[in-house]
Amino acid sequence: MSELFDAVDALLASRATLPPPAERKRLRQAHALTVDEVALALKVRRATVTSWESGRTEPRPPERDAYARLLDGLAQLYPAPAGNPGPDEDPVAGAVPAPAEDAPAPEMFTGAPAPAQARVTVTENPSEADVTTAPEPTAPPAARTSSMSRRLGAKKAAPAATPAGADPRFENGPLAVIDVEDGKVLAYCTGGLVLDVPAKSLPSLVDWTLKEAKLGQPKLSGPGRPADPLLVLTAAACERYGLPVTLTEEEKVSGRIPEGHKVIKQLTRAEWQLTKRGFGPWARIYRPAKGSERQCVQLCIPSWNALDSRFWGNAGQLPPAELARVLGVYASRVMTPRGSTAVTGLELMTALHPPTYAVRDEETGVLRQAETKTPGSLGKDPIDPMNFPPCEVPDGHPVLKDLPRFHVRGPGEKLFEEAYDWARPMTDAECTLRHLVGIDVNMAFAAGANGLPVGLCEATHVKNPVFDPKLPGSWLVDLSHVDLSRVKVGKEWVELDGSLLPSPFTPKGERPTGPAWYATPTVAYAAELGYEVRPIEAWVRYDNGRYLDGWYTRLRDAYLATMADLGVHADLSPQDFLAAMDGYKDRDPELGLVVSAIKATVKGGLGKLRERPRAEGWRPGEPWRALARPTWRPDIRAAVISRTRINLHRKIVKHASFTGQYPIAVLSDCVVYAANGPSPLDFLPYREGKPLPGGFKLGVNPGLVKWEGTQDVLWGEEVRERFNAPELNLARYIKDGTVTDADNGE
């Protein structure tokens, strides 16, 4: 009988009544639960919970009954305010269905327009904040009341509205855009909040930020520290505080204003200091910490090109409220920007794996830094430049100072793990097809970092080592015997046309001719293809770990959440995914900027691991500034690129073995195939909606592919003929088909 009752209970639960989407979100936020925590408890993806809260999808068994149980428990703890629609009620027609508690929190933005701004005058007692709103347009009374509630909820101005468990130090968000309107200085924060700024000078603005603005962001990991507040100064704010609106050519080259500038003198008189990089587009103003109290504010000045258009699009030209939204979404999902997207990508690694942790002195009881590094981190001390393996460092590094001048290192002296830039002439059969279709791997380098073991210490030199695919390092090995005409795919040997495939061992796709240095993933792939590998020597790192896993997860979640807000979800069918990707950035251009910035954070952060000299009077053989960082690790960058390239080649081989189709061109993470139709579905081998296991799969997740562009086969042949280049890489132009003479050195 008990089994029958259990079955009946399951049926009832499968039809469990759920509150409206807005109420689901209110209940979660009231208990200070994050989307990630709910997703983890219910064993679903983060994007799934977001879809439930936005009403785009409804939970299905068995998750539905567990979700209903969670919401019922929360509803008992946090009853709906008077006037909230119940589970079976519809909102009043014509009203905006979002009471104060339901308004989007600063860390969650949908594709809806930003709410109208409300101004808050901060007094010494924040609970006595004076809230005023702009006049409402004419509307029915019900609509006006609901709209007002939504704006007040979005602002989170008063401490009483702060969700339980939130850090009251940062209740106004991670950052503010400072602007001047009608002679008044205003701070546009995230969530629609606007603060009146009383500061008359830059030093007083810094004081106000630390004492009254309640800006900042909680730490991302246990041993870490909270993010410093970020102030974004518009051109009008620069004028108000005595800063130039734009930099002179000389200042652009130096990256800062002169040390004798009047604003810097003001800061010095007020006992504020600047970091070594001075007062530039990303300036950091601080006083030495007193105990555990940190006093530091960061400035971002878009008119000085702080928000590079290559990575942030037109964000620097947005109005203050919209700019606060863009940077606020990025800050909540990635981290508060610490500089360029590249700098932020590198800083995110450190924030997730702080080099040290605090310990209490047994004698004095005072907290101090531990002498040992945090487990899994790179530590706080950089590797001595002279202890780097010569094969891993770029030209001009101090460890190479004894090389003859103008010496060119070959594959046997230099680790050269880079992304693909390969193309080949089309076959006669391919020329009879109509289209060239490009597919692009989503967040390819982030996916390459996921689960990758990397060294956490200095390298050890080994002669005639036995290759270990789990040991990070650089290996000198001859892979010229690997024949792509006969390789192992899984457990079976398959015959392929090796002349139509790029070599997986070189960026240009050329077959190696002798011993060369490779990162561990490249050598492991040679063994996976069924060939013996015998390294001659190696530089290996016995202390290693998956240092980049948290970094990947943070950026992946940021990317998927933002794409979901733009209508591109992880559970779409291939056809629906292609439709959703069509013009997705146009649905909310501001969130489109966030997507671009997240992608740039991935690539830039990895690039910073091998940052080259930036002039500054540097000469070959001398150390440069980046070498003083523990995160200057060219071996980690090489390993990520190696794994990314190998992941792509593995899919290419799997696709070729199953379909007999070979790529025309490969550029980084973009692959071009000839096909009879213009869509990826015209050549990707889907069967009953399921992709080829181990091959290319359409989807938004990192490592899956999207459509990059389609051109005619005749277009490709005409372009190659025009430049007399049978192997011109068409993947570079497949997106829009535009090819200029400058692209080909004309």
Side-chain angles (χ1 to χ4, degrees):
M1 184 65 70
S2 62
E3 293 180 358
L4 294 176
F5 287 165
D6 291 341
V8 170
D9 289 343
L11 288 175
L12 292 173
S14 69
R15 302 295 188 271
T17 301
L18 298 175
E23 178 67 3
R24 302 170 196 173
K25 186 172 186 177
R26 183 192 74 82
L27 290 171
R28 173 179 62 77
Q29 293 178 343
H31 202 59
L33 295 174
T34 66
V35 175
D36 290 317
E37 289 173 324
V38 175
L40 181 64
L42 299 179
K43 293 182 172 57
V44 297
R45 292 190 295 268
R46 185 186 197 281
T48 301
V49 177
T50 302
S51 295
W52 293 347
E53 292 186 350
S54 66
R56 287 187 288 264
T57 60
E58 285 295 312
R60 292 180 290 185
E63 292 83 7
R64 184 182 179 93
D65 52 343
Y67 190 44
R69 182 182 181 88
L70 170 66
L71 295 175
D72 287 343
L74 294 176
Q76 295 178 21
L77 295 173
Y78 310 100
N84 248 19
D88 300 320
E89 299 176 22
D90 291 329
V92 178
V96 179
E101 291 81 5
D102 294 345
E107 72 275 15
M108 292 299 297
F109 289 89
T110 65
Q117 303 297 316
R119 183 174 302 170
V120 179
T121 303
V122 176
T123 62
E124 292 185 1
N125 183 358
S127 64
E128 299 174 357
D130 177 31
V131 181
T132 60
T133 59
E136 280 288 308
T138 303
R144 287 202 302 271
T145 302
S146 181
S147 179
M148 181 71 72
S149 299
R150 182 179 184 185
R151 287 200 304 279
L152 292 176
K155 289 181 304 180
K156 294 179 61 185
T162 303
D167 194 326
R169 295 174 298 170
F170 314 128
E171 65 181 46
N172 292 333
L175 55 89
V177 179
I178 309 299
D179 192 34
V180 180
E181 295 181 13
D182 299 327
K184 294 184 178 180
V185 182
L186 305 176
Y188 290 81
C189 306
T190 57
L193 171 67
V194 183
L195 306 176
D196 281 326
V197 181
K200 304 297 183 183
S201 66
L202 193 61
S204 61
L205 176 64
V206 175
D207 276 320
W208 171 83
T209 302
L210 294 172
K211 295 177 181 178
E212 300 183 52
K214 294 186 180 295
L215 296 174
Q217 189 175 35
K219 59 186 179 182
L220 296 180
S221 65
R225 60 175 176 80
D228 299 319
L230 172 65
L231 299 182
V232 184
L233 303 184
T234 65
C238 286
E239 288 185 323
R240 171 50 90 57
Y241 291 116
L243 293 168
V245 174
T246 58
L247 298 179
T248 65
E249 290 301 321
E250 183 179 350
E251 291 167 346
K252 289 178 182 178
V253 172
S254 65
R256 64 185 74 189
I257 58 177
E259 296 294 330
H261 194 279
K262 62 179 181 181
V263 171
I264 296 181
K265 291 180 178 179
Q266 291 175 0
L267 292 169
T268 302
R269 285 196 297 269
E271 299 182 345
W272 289 106
Q273 300 180 30
L274 294 166
T275 58
K276 290 182 180 179
R277 64 182 174 183
F279 203 126
W282 291 91
R284 190 167 291 278
I285 303 172
Y286 73 99
R287 284 178 181 146
K290 297 179 180 178
S292 60
E293 183 182 355
R294 181 178 172 86
Q295 300 183 80
C296 185
V297 172
Q298 182 172 260
L299 301 184
C300 166
I301 306 179
S303 62
W304 295 7
N305 199 35
L307 301 175
D308 194 318
S309 60
R310 293 174 297 173
F311 315 122
W312 285 102
N314 69 336
Q317 286 75 51
L318 290 175
E322 285 78 356
L323 180 55
R325 181 187 180 222
V326 169
L327 295 177
V329 174
Y330 179 89
S332 65
R333 293 178 177 175
V334 179
M335 71 179 299
T336 303
R338 296 288 302 275
S340 67
T341 50
V343 169
T344 304
L346 194 69
E347 290 289 338
L348 180 61
M349 297 179 195
T350 303
L352 294 170
H353 287 286
T356 60
Y357 56 97
V359 294
R360 193 171 297 280
D361 191 291
E362 296 181 358
E363 296 181 0
T364 64
V366 177
L367 288 175
R368 58 176 176 80
Q369 283 190 347
E371 295 180 1
T372 58
K373 72 172 186 176
T374 306
S377 77
L378 298 179
K380 62 183 180 65
D381 298 319
I383 294 177
D384 186 329
M386 301 308 294
N387 290 340
F388 271 101
C391 63
E392 292 180 349
V393 300
D395 294 338
H397 190 275
V399 81
L400 305 175
K401 63 181 180 180
D402 293 331
L403 284 179
R405 192 177 183 186
F406 304 122
H407 175 76
V408 178
R409 294 185 293 160
E413 300 173 275
K414 181 179 180 180
L415 177 69
F416 193 61
E417 295 284 10
E418 299 294 341
Y420 266 130
D421 185 355
W422 169 87
R424 62 168 176 83
M426 283 186 275
T427 65
D428 292 342
E430 289 165 342
C431 288
T432 64
L433 302 177
R434 299 181 57 190
H435 300 284
L436 297 175
V437 184
I439 53 176
D440 182 80
V441 181
N442 295 314
M443 300 271 284
F445 294 100
N450 183 32
L452 176 67
V454 299
L456 304 177
C457 62
E458 293 184 6
T460 300
H461 190 220
V462 184
K463 287 284 190 178
N464 298 315
V466 176
F467 176 67
D468 183 352
K470 297 181 180 179
L471 187 59
S474 302
W475 310 78
L476 180 62
V477 58
D478 188 351
L479 300 180
S480 60
H481 63 290
V482 178
D483 184 3
L484 296 181
S485 297
R486 187 173 184 271
V487 297
K488 261 190 176 181
V489 178
K491 296 182 179 180
E492 297 181 358
W493 286 91
V494 298
E495 304 289 338
L496 300 172
D497 188 343
S499 65
L500 301 181
L501 287 170
S503 168
F505 309 127
T506 62
K508 290 293 184 180
E510 301 165 345
R511 186 168 178 169
T513 57
W517 285 98
Y518 303 101
T520 298
T522 303
V523 185
Y525 185 57
E528 179 186 325
L529 292 176
Y531 291 86
E532 185 180 24
V533 293
R534 293 183 178 179
I536 302 168
E537 61 177 300
W539 291 88
V540 296
R541 292 169 172 84
Y542 294 107
D543 179 15
N544 56 74
R546 293 164 58 159
Y547 174 73
L548 295 173
D549 273 12
W551 182 80
Y552 160 78
T553 300
R554 180 82 177 174
L555 291 165
R556 176 204 63 192
D557 291 349
Y559 175 73
L560 291 180
T562 311
M563 291 298 289
D565 287 343
L566 288 165
V568 185
H569 304 282
D571 53 359
L572 294 175
S573 68
Q575 294 83 356
D576 291 341
F577 170 71
L578 291 174
M581 286 294 293
D582 186 17
Y584 71 97
K585 289 186 178 181
D586 296 335
R587 295 174 199 142
D588 190 328
E590 293 169 14
L591 290 184
L593 297 177
V594 177
V595 169
S596 298
I598 293 171
K599 292 179 179 179
T601 303
V602 172
K603 292 186 177 181
L606 293 172
K608 277 281 183 179
L609 292 169
R610 198 191 68 163
E611 184 175 359
R612 305 295 293 274
R614 293 180 152 189
E616 302 171 349
W618 173 81
R619 293 182 179 181
E622 297 178 349
W624 57 92
R625 186 189 304 179
L627 300 187
R629 295 194 314 249
T631 49
W632 194 84
R633 292 294 301 276
D635 57 297
I636 296 179
R637 172 188 177 273
V640 173
I641 294 176
S642 164
R643 193 162 186 249
T644 303
R645 193 182 68 246
I646 294 306
N647 285 346
L648 183 59
H649 195 274
R650 186 181 290 113
K651 288 180 170 61
I652 290 172
V653 168
K654 185 73 172 181
H655 184 86
S657 66
F658 187 80
T659 66
Q661 298 169 338
Y662 296 85
I664 302 296
V666 185
L667 181 67
S668 188
D669 48 10
C670 176
V671 188
V672 176
Y673 283 92
N676 265 326
S679 167
L681 291 175
D682 291 315
F683 71 92
L684 293 183
Y686 275 82
R687 298 292 183 270
E688 298 180 357
K690 296 182 179 180
L692 172 67
F696 296 108
K697 178 183 178 181
L698 289 166
V700 70
N701 279 294
L704 305 188
V705 300
K706 64 179 183 295
W707 176 64
E708 179 70 5
T710 298
Q711 304 297 330
D712 294 337
V713 167
L714 292 178
W715 164 86
E717 288 296 278
E718 187 275 330
V719 168
R720 286 178 164 178
E721 184 178 345
R722 189 201 324 168
F723 294 106
N724 192 26
E727 297 182 1
L728 181 71
N729 196 328
L730 299 175
R732 183 172 282 109
Y733 317 106
I734 196 69
K735 188 163 191 158
D736 59 11
T738 302
V739 186
T740 64
D741 291 343
D743 292 329
N744 295 278
E746 295 292 329

